[in-house]
Amino acid sequence: MKQPVNAEFREWFRLATGGSTPYPYQEHLALSDVIPQLVNIPTGLGKTAGIILGWLWRRRRATENIRAR
């Protein structure tokens, strides 16, 4: 059975970051239909990882609908 996309993203994120669990906003960046124009998150809470890994996920691993956007 294929695991749900957000569980798959969480595991992929953990592998990419050496074991860190994604914050909810990082999951949202990768899995949402709409990409926010502004990410207003305090320093030290993973903005770079959220944006870069969210973009990579959207380009390579997301559903066809999200990849097309």
Side-chain angles (χ1 to χ4, degrees):
M1 177 192 288
K2 189 173 190 307
Q3 57 185 334
V5 172
N6 49 346
E8 189 177 337
F9 173 74
R10 286 183 192 126
E11 180 59 27
W12 182 82
F13 189 94
R14 278 194 276 274
L15 290 171
T17 60
S20 297
T21 301
Y23 291 109
Y25 87 88
Q26 291 169 322
E27 289 185 34
H28 178 76
L29 288 172
L31 305 173
S32 178
D33 287 340
V34 178
I35 300 172
Q37 292 184 352
L38 175 67
V39 179
N40 188 11
I41 302 294
T43 300
L45 292 180
K47 287 185 296 293
T48 302
I51 291 167
I52 292 172
L53 295 177
W55 178 81
L56 283 171
W57 177 266
R58 295 174 78 84
R59 294 292 297 153
R60 298 292 178 193
R61 306 292 306 264
T63 63
E64 183 69 35
N65 183 34
I66 290 175
R67 281 194 314 250
R69 292 177 184 218

